[in-house]
Amino acid sequence: SVEAHKEDKPQKTMEVNGLTAVPESYDYDLIVIGGGSGGLAAAKEAAKYGKKVMVLDFVVPTPQGSSWGLGGTCVNVGCIPKKLMHQAALLGQALQDSRKFGWQFTEEVKHNWMTMTESVQNYIGSLNWGYRVALRDNKVTYENAYGEFVGPHTIKATNKRGAEKLYTAERFLIATGERPRYLGIPGDKEYCISSDDLFSLPYCPGKTLVVGASYVALECAGFLAGLGLDVTVMVRSILLRGFDQDMANKIGEYMKEHGVNFIREFVPIKVEQIEEGTPGRLKVTAKSTTGNQIIEGEYNTVLLAIGRDPCTRKIGLDKVGVRINEKTGKIPVNDEEQTNVSYIYAVGDILQDKLELTPVAIQAGRLLIRRLYAGATTKCDYVNVPTTVFTPLEYGACGYSEETAVEKFGEENIEVYHSHFWPLEWTVPSRDNNKCYAKIICNIQDNERVIGFHVLGPNAGEVTQGFAAAIKCGMTKEQLDNTVGIHPVCAEV
Amino acid sequence: GKNEYDLLVIGGGSGGLACAKEAAQFGRKVAVLDYVEPSPQGTSWGLGGTCVNVGCIPKKLMHQAALLGSALKDAQHYGWNIAQPVHHTWSVMAQAVQNYVKSLNWGHRVQLQDKKVKYFNMKGSFSDPHTVHGLTKAGKETIVTADNIVLATGGRPKYPTHIAGALEYGITSDDLFWLKESPGKTLPSFILYVSLECAGFLTGIGLDTAVMMRSIPLRGFDQASQMASLVTEHMESYGTKFLKRCFPTKVEKLKSNRLQVTWKNTDLGTEESDSFDTVMWAVGRAPDTKTLNLETVGVKTNSETGKIIVDASEATSVPHIYAIGDITEGRPELTPTAIAAGKLLAQRLFGQSSELMDYDNVPTTVFTPLEYGCVGLSEEAAVQCHGSENIEVFHAYYKPLEFTVAERDATQCYMKMVCLREREQRILGLHFIGPNAGEVIQGFALGIKCGATYPQLMKAVGIHPTCAEEVTKLHITKRSGLDATVTGC
């Protein structure tokens, strides 16, 4: 079959006196394509075992021209700037609360986008620098060049100026991550921005339309509204597909009650520019998904957050026979992160059927390297990985959603315990007393083992982390009941 | 004759109310006596006990007020334009807090009513093992008889009565939360968590605050890796003054109505003094058992502490008389343990349960400006119990992401995990200093209750970006002597 041809059997191996193949020397033991969370973690780990490692990282500028340094999505256009801007929005709320706690200052408080963005970008810059230093200290070769396979064990690296170099390696790790998807409608690439542009936008986005219902869409809409901007979210169907829908709806409701407008069951069909500027004015035309209704709206900025596509289609995978899912672009791997080509591995967001999270990529990358070079056998455990959505009302989760639990175990076999709670800190400033919520899903047949944990409230990430560790230890409802709460905190609920 | 009630609870605080309401669930006839003897300064409050009125609740709210002060400073770095100067008004905060507490008092009364628990606002004392004599503020008397009696009268702040002027001029936490006017320049004295927490939020709302300590901070909490000194170091950099190794000798009132405090500095061997608006004593709490008349019925107490001696089922030395909460000897003085113990007691008495309260691995948090949360053994206790060769301590200095843009100092943000060294590497204790320490520790406390081991924790994936994820990444041991600063993403 075609696969057999392109399988492992590195062409440069030789058999000597019938003994097992001894590879000829390659330029590197390992080349990592992609200097993000997964790639860098793996590279540094491999260097620890004395391996000769190279990292290739390159950022293709966005249609708007945005680019960034070493570190990948998380550091530059993901988790880090997102959490910092979320924090800026939370601080806006804190300012309002503080008056009720006795603090006095002028009535009118305005937010300056440039001050915030500059601070955030400066911090990111320090991280980019830190990564370059870390690679150097670990004796990992780094090239700011676009890597693509040109033949077995061989890649071509093209830098910004177009200069090309060829490198060979015994093994490769693909960790190229993803980039935001565009709608494919008139005006999208010309006038719309994505999360790739938002965090370094050199002007305040103003009145913003966020297209999408992913966590990226809701998180961005959330903090933009928290900074005082007029924000609308256009949703094709449901919020946070793949997440517990009960929780997703509560998040949406909260955002609506706190100033975010929602346009449900519409998709944009064209974006036109009314006026140039920073920001300019854009006209968005949208069509209903349930009928023929057409609506129009005017915004300063349109932010597309409809999903992300893996960077796997233009890196020469066909030249080395690495199979990808043609529809999604994702790479299927076995439980040791190995592609169908035995010397080529992959980690992070590009993997099929795995979670798109920084800590997962880091964990998978490190464990892979330990298996390859340190004789370890531990595989990455993708079960019960906790996550948090940093919407204005944060949502932390670990394990099964209610729907998935019902589907897998049957409604009669699961018990859901739930409670609304009112954080003590919200009482004095009279903030909502019925919005924060927690629920656990237990498997009745397995000693009421906790198989799902969901919490909606402040510091959801901090709360969820420990519970995730406990779930990994097989916590049951009884053990949960027997654990004394810390008072007064949200987590005690 | 037959006793009037199945259960009489003396003390309407965290433990007492929980026990009473649980017993009522079983259809029992229950009564609660609650009475607040006014403080020497005349402060009093409603139903709910220490936690609700003069403890956890107002403390956390005032701590929050102080944290919001920091948030105001941070906000400028995040782009918020706030015209300086920014002021804090004590009376606005105090009124808001006091109103909330009063709503809780009301809520408790309604709950008791709903559950058909009879409530007496009376001071109780024993006549015999099943009879309690109740006295109202106005002097009206009632006799209450019950099959079972639970003592849950809690504790009250101690006064250092050997110091001249201490009682007349000083206040305690009982008074602090109910002050209508700002305490101004304050001197909370001696080191217990109460003292540090109060000093912390007073500093945070802009008051000139000093803490006087005779010896070590946070006695009883982890000492070795200086969790306590990290906490106080942070407070010092935050603006609280510490008068270390000093003890006061007298407090006098000045013509200006301010207070002159004189103290001995044991390091320098000198005597010093300064004037303050308020002197607050936080030298410990004593069990509130004096007026109960325990000797009459023979309930045994610890001669040193005055606390009531109980067994694993919360039973005292007298049949049918039990005790829970802060008045019991050898128990943590925490609301959630009192509540849990109270509920379990009621379940054992009336619900055919035999489950005892598990006091092991109870998590707690000190709400100082930089919070300290912990569960399980301190490093010293672990060493004492198992020997230093048999334990491994993993630790890390980390920086919360939110501190970066805000340019806040994270020097004291620190965590450590104490584990057994042998095969399994079971986790004995976890200690965390940083923002939202309580939220971070709670879930891990659960894990420890499930017997979590170090390898299990390392398998758990972190949530990014949070502070808590650093717990799942702990890998530098104290034994190695390596730099424990977390670097990079």
Side-chain angles (χ1 to χ4, degrees):
Chain A
S1 75
V2 176
E3 266 92 84
H5 268 116
K6 302 195 176 163
E7 240 180 43
D8 176 47
K9 287 272 168 13
Q11 292 176 337
K12 293 192 180 184
T13 63
M14 317 181 315
E15 271 210 295
V16 178
N17 297 338
L19 296 168
T20 351
V22 172
E24 250 186 47
S25 69
Y26 295 102
D27 296 328
Y28 290 93
D29 293 309
L30 176 71
I31 292 181
V32 178
I33 312 176
S37 304
L40 292 180
K44 286 187 286 189
E45 190 75 15
K48 269 202 213 128
Y49 300 113
K51 298 299 165 181
K52 201 170 172 217
V53 189
M54 175 164 80
V55 170
L56 294 176
D57 187 67
F58 191 86
V59 180
V60 174
T62 72
Q64 295 299 325
S66 308
S67 186
W68 50 87
L70 180 63
T73 297
C74 172
V75 163
N76 294 287
V77 287
C79 331
I80 301 296
K82 174 267 295 287
K83 187 96 193 289
L84 289 171
M85 293 199 176
H86 170 65
Q87 176 69 354
L90 290 180
L91 286 170
Q93 176 71 68
L95 291 180
Q96 296 315 314
D97 287 355
S98 72
R99 293 186 210 272
K100 295 281 173 64
F101 279 91
W103 291 97
Q104 291 175 323
F105 45 93
T106 53
E107 266 311 300
E108 236 210 291
V109 174
K110 280 209 141 66
H111 184 262
N112 184 316
W113 174 269
M114 290 313 301
T115 306
M116 173 185 73
T117 310
E118 262 172 47
S119 301
V120 170
Q121 287 302 315
N122 282 343
Y123 177 64
I124 291 173
S126 75
L127 292 179
N128 299 139
W129 177 251
Y131 279 119
R132 295 189 66 154
V133 168
L135 288 184
R136 202 174 50 215
D137 289 349
N138 280 295
K139 304 208 195 345
V140 173
T141 311
Y142 160 60
E143 281 215 15
N144 183 209
Y146 187 94
E148 51 191 312
F149 287 96
V150 290
H153 290 271
T154 313
I155 58 148
K156 174 175 79 172
T158 311
N159 73 11
K160 240 185 288 224
R161 285 175 296 281
E164 294 176 2
K165 284 194 223 165
L166 290 180
Y167 296 106
T168 60
E170 189 187 354
R171 291 191 177 95
F172 291 83
L173 176 62
I174 308 171
T176 48
E178 301 182 303
R179 296 298 290 270
R181 194 178 299 153
Y182 279 78
L183 283 167
I185 59 169
D188 68 351
K189 291 214 167 100
E190 297 91 302
Y191 307 122
C192 300
I193 64 167
S194 73
S195 56
D196 277 0
D197 309 290
L198 181 65
F199 301 112
S200 56
L201 207 62
Y203 53 85
C204 181
K207 181 178 173 191
T208 305
L209 174 70
V210 178
V211 181
S214 57
Y215 76 83
V216 174
L218 296 186
E219 285 178 343
C220 291
F223 72 69
L224 290 173
L227 298 177
L229 303 178
D230 179 344
V231 179
T232 304
V233 181
M234 187 175 286
V235 177
R236 186 171 53 97
S237 62
I238 61 172
L239 298 177
L240 294 173
R241 186 180 296 279
F243 286 85
D244 185 294
Q245 282 301 292
D246 175 27
M247 304 306 278
N249 290 328
K250 287 180 159 48
I251 292 172
E253 257 168 52
Y254 184 88
M255 287 175 69
K256 210 159 56 171
E257 281 169 26
H258 289 262
V260 177
N261 307 302
F262 279 85
I263 298 178
R264 309 287 301 245
E265 297 181 334
F266 271 86
V267 288
I269 54 174
K270 82 176 157 192
V271 179
E272 298 161 287
Q273 187 179 63
I274 304 172
E275 195 186 306
E276 253 188 80
T278 53
R281 277 162 57 219
L282 301 171
K283 182 166 110 177
V284 177
T285 310
K287 183 167 182 296
S288 164
T289 57
T290 57
N292 285 319
Q293 199 193 351
I294 303 273
I295 56 170
E296 286 176 356
E298 191 184 303
Y299 304 91
N300 294 120
T301 300
V302 176
L303 170 69
L304 300 179
I306 55 169
R308 294 171 67 79
D309 290 322
C311 299
T312 52
R313 304 207 191 255
K314 296 190 187 153
I315 56 173
L317 293 182
D318 52 316
K319 301 250 174 29
V320 282
V322 171
R323 212 183 356 210
I324 65 171
N325 178 312
E326 277 311 319
K327 181 162 164 254
T328 62
K330 294 225 172 184
I331 303 183
V333 292
N334 62 16
D335 63 0
E336 294 184 322
E337 286 80 31
Q338 191 182 36
T339 68
N340 62 306
V341 178
S342 67
Y343 68 93
I344 301 179
Y345 300 82
V347 286
D349 289 2
I350 50 168
L351 297 188
Q352 181 163 281
D353 298 328
K354 300 282 195 278
L355 299 153
E356 294 178 7
L357 295 168
T358 274
V360 172
I362 292 176
Q363 180 105 304
R366 285 208 187 118
L367 291 177
L368 167 65
I369 297 301
R370 285 182 206 159
R371 289 194 306 271
L372 290 180
Y373 302 124
T377 50
T378 315
K379 299 186 199 171
C380 187
D381 186 352
Y382 291 97
V383 173
N384 289 330
V385 172
T387 183
T388 297
V389 181
F390 294 97
T391 29
L393 193 57
E394 296 177 9
Y395 166 39
C398 182
Y400 288 93
S401 67
E402 201 173 324
E403 306 86 87
T404 319
V406 165
E407 211 183 276
K408 175 138 193 211
F409 298 96
E411 203 176 328
E412 347 63 75
N413 293 320
I414 64 157
E415 195 75 78
V416 181
Y417 296 91
H418 68 151
S419 171
H420 281 279
F421 62 97
W422 197 20
L424 181 62
E425 294 80 358
W426 288 23
T427 57
V428 162
S430 306
R431 284 172 59 182
D432 313 82
N433 66 351
N434 62 347
K435 289 291 184 294
C436 294
Y437 178 75
K439 76 178 175 187
I440 58 162
I441 303 167
C442 303
N443 184 351
I444 299 178
Q445 294 179 315
D446 181 19
N447 224 358
E448 275 210 307
R449 199 159 313 275
V450 178
I451 57 172
F453 170 89
H454 303 262
V455 67
L456 200 59
N459 304 303
E462 308 292 0
V463 172
T464 302
Q465 182 70 84
F467 285 94
I471 287 177
K472 259 267 183 277
C473 300
M475 159 178 75
T476 62
K477 174 72 168 47
E478 196 186 333
Q479 285 170 318
L480 190 138
D481 287 344
N482 287 339
T483 304
V484 183
I486 297 174
H487 183 70
V489 298
C490 294
E492 66 178 313
V493 75
Chain B
K2 196 165 190 293
N3 289 313
E4 214 185 327
Y5 291 94
D6 296 309
L7 175 70
L8 169 64
V9 178
I10 310 182
S14 304
L17 293 178
C19 187
K21 287 186 289 187
E22 189 74 9
Q25 305 264 73
F26 293 108
R28 294 299 175 154
K29 207 167 170 218
V30 186
V32 170
L33 250 65
D34 187 68
Y35 186 84
V36 180
E37 190 71 53
S39 74
Q41 296 297 332
T43 312
S44 185
W45 49 86
L47 180 62
T50 297
C51 171
V52 163
N53 293 287
V54 286
C56 331
I57 302 296
K59 174 265 298 284
K60 186 96 192 289
L61 288 171
M62 293 198 175
H63 170 64
Q64 175 68 358
L67 291 181
L68 288 170
S70 292
L72 285 171
K73 294 202 190 95
D74 288 354
Q76 325 244 29
H77 292 273
Y78 279 88
W80 292 98
N81 294 325
I82 306 166
Q84 297 300 312
V86 169
H87 290 296
H88 184 265
T89 305
W90 173 273
S91 53
V92 172
M93 172 184 75
Q95 183 146 74
V97 171
Q98 288 154 23
N99 283 344
Y100 178 65
V101 169
K102 287 183 187 150
S103 77
L104 292 179
N105 300 139
W106 177 250
H108 280 300
R109 292 191 66 159
V110 168
Q111 270 185 25
L112 289 184
Q113 214 164 35
D114 285 350
K115 296 202 185 316
K116 303 206 198 335
V117 172
K118 183 92 177 108
Y119 162 58
F120 297 99
N121 183 209
M122 292 188 193
K123 184 158 50 171
S125 60
F126 280 103
S127 310
D128 71 46
H130 290 279
T131 312
V132 170
H133 170 259
L135 195 66
T136 68
K137 216 187 318 207
K140 186 171 141 217
E141 291 181 11
T142 308
I143 307 285
V144 182
T145 59
D147 286 347
N148 299 283
I149 299 178
V150 174
L151 305 172
T153 51
R156 294 297 290 269
K158 287 196 263 201
Y159 274 80
T161 45
H162 57 283
I163 298 171
L167 197 62
E168 298 93 300
Y169 306 124
I171 65 166
T172 68
S173 56
D174 277 1
D175 309 292
L176 181 68
F177 300 113
W178 293 94
L179 291 179
K180 297 271 184 291
E181 296 299 322
S182 171
K185 182 179 174 191
T186 308
L187 177 75
S189 177
F190 295 178
I191 294 283
L192 287 172
Y193 79 86
V194 173
S195 171
L196 292 186
E197 286 177 338
C198 292
F201 70 69
L202 291 171
T203 306
I205 58 174
L207 299 177
D208 187 353
T209 310
V211 178
M212 190 175 294
M213 51 198 267
R214 191 189 196 113
S215 60
I216 58 170
L218 291 177
R219 187 183 294 280
F221 286 83
D222 181 286
Q223 291 300 311
S225 115
Q226 301 161 315
M227 299 310 276
S229 50
L230 284 170
V231 165
T232 53
E233 249 171 60
H234 179 267
M235 287 177 68
E236 268 176 302
S237 68
Y238 187 69
T240 306
K241 293 188 216 26
F242 280 83
L243 298 163
K244 296 181 186 166
R245 276 177 287 285
C246 298
F247 63 91
T249 51
K250 68 177 170 211
V251 181
E252 298 159 294
K253 194 153 201 167
L254 300 170
K255 270 206 206 69
S256 61
N257 262 338
R258 293 188 100 210
L259 301 171
Q260 181 86 357
V261 181
T262 310
W263 66 85
K264 274 220 172 59
N265 183 322
T266 60
D267 268 349
L268 305 173
T270 52
E271 203 178 66
E272 291 158 14
S273 74
D274 196 357
S275 63
F276 299 87
D277 295 299
T278 305
V279 175
M280 188 188 110
W281 306 109
V283 302
R285 295 172 69 81
D288 200 354
T289 52
K290 267 189 301 312
T291 54
L292 280 173
N293 221 356
L294 295 177
E295 316 76 41
T296 308
V297 289
V299 170
K300 290 207 173 67
T301 60
N302 178 302
S303 52
E304 215 187 287
T305 63
K307 292 195 176 191
I308 300 179
I309 299 172
V310 291
D311 67 15
S313 67
E314 325 319 337
T316 67
S317 52
V318 178
H320 306 297
I321 299 181
Y322 304 84
I324 54 173
D326 289 4
I327 44 157
T328 49
E329 177 64 37
R331 305 285 192 235
E333 290 180 11
L334 297 168
T335 276
T337 49
I339 292 175
K343 282 196 182 143
L344 289 173
L345 175 61
Q347 285 166 13
R348 288 193 304 274
L349 288 176
F350 306 115
Q352 278 111 43
S353 162
S354 54
E355 198 187 331
L356 297 174
M357 175 68 188
D358 183 356
Y359 289 98
D360 273 337
N361 292 325
V362 172
T364 183
T365 298
V366 181
F367 294 97
T368 29
L370 200 59
E371 299 172 8
Y372 167 34
C374 59
V375 61
L377 298 181
S378 67
E379 197 176 326
E380 302 77 47
V383 166
Q384 213 176 57
C385 204
H386 301 275
S388 61
E389 341 69 67
N390 294 320
I391 64 156
E392 195 78 85
V393 181
F394 298 90
H395 68 152
Y397 286 92
Y398 69 98
K399 186 165 190 170
L401 178 63
E402 293 75 6
F403 278 35
T404 57
V405 165
E407 293 175 19
R408 297 242 300 242
D409 180 17
T411 315
Q412 289 91 18
C413 291
Y414 177 77
M415 61 180 75
K416 73 178 176 186
M417 188 155 57
V418 182
C419 305
L420 280 175
R421 221 171 159 193
E422 46 85 30
R423 294 160 295 121
E424 257 195 353
Q425 290 183 293
R426 194 161 50 87
I427 302 171
L428 300 172
L430 181 64
H431 302 259
F432 176 93
I433 294 184
N436 305 303
E439 308 293 1
V440 172
I441 290 284
Q442 181 70 83
F444 289 105
L446 218 69
I448 289 177
K449 252 266 185 281
C450 300
T453 63
Y454 177 74
Q456 276 176 318
L457 214 64
M458 288 309 110
K459 272 184 94 175
V461 181
I463 298 174
H464 185 68
T466 60
C467 295
E469 66 175 312
E470 299 300 335
V471 177
T472 66
K473 300 197 234 165
L474 285 167
H475 64 283
I476 305 271
T477 61
K478 275 198 177 179
R479 184 172 270 115
S480 70
L482 295 170
D483 178 14
T485 311
V486 169
T487 48
C489 191

